[in-house]
Amino acid sequence: MQKKELDQLKKENARLKAALSEAEYECQRLSIINSSLEAQLNESNRELEKNIDVLQSLKGDIENLVNNLKNSNQ
């Protein structure tokens, strides 16, 4: 009876080790994906900052044009 229990524990131990190995692999895979997404997010943020700068510049240009038009109509 003790041999049967020992065999069962060995099987359970092997199953748990396999599950742990799978979990570690998945963790590494998700870590790689996370790094890639973080790089994409950083690049998107840089592009967004550039776009904001361009829009702010355009807003200033438009305000100047509006003021010039107002002054020329007076």
Side-chain angles (χ1 to χ4, degrees):
M1 178 105 166
Q2 196 173 13
K3 168 111 171 76
K4 188 175 181 182
E5 289 175 354
L6 185 58
D7 288 343
Q8 185 63 30
L9 287 173
K10 285 180 180 178
K11 286 179 185 177
E12 183 65 11
N13 188 39
R15 188 189 69 77
L16 290 173
K17 283 182 178 179
L20 179 59
S21 180
E22 286 180 34
E24 288 172 343
Y25 172 80
E26 186 65 11
C27 186
Q28 290 173 351
R29 190 181 73 81
L30 291 173
S31 180
I32 291 167
I33 290 170
N34 188 50
S35 293
S36 175
L37 289 173
E38 189 173 5
Q40 290 176 21
L41 178 60
N42 290 336
E43 178 61 24
S44 294
N45 282 336
R46 283 191 290 274
E47 289 295 319
L48 182 57
E49 287 173 7
K50 288 179 189 175
N51 290 340
I52 288 171
D53 289 342
V54 169
L55 288 173
Q56 287 175 337
S57 176
L58 287 173
K59 181 184 175 195
D61 292 345
I62 290 170
E63 288 171 350
N64 287 337
L65 286 171
V66 168
N67 288 332
N68 289 340
L69 283 171
K70 284 179 182 177
N71 291 335
S72 68
N73 288 333
Q74 289 180 354

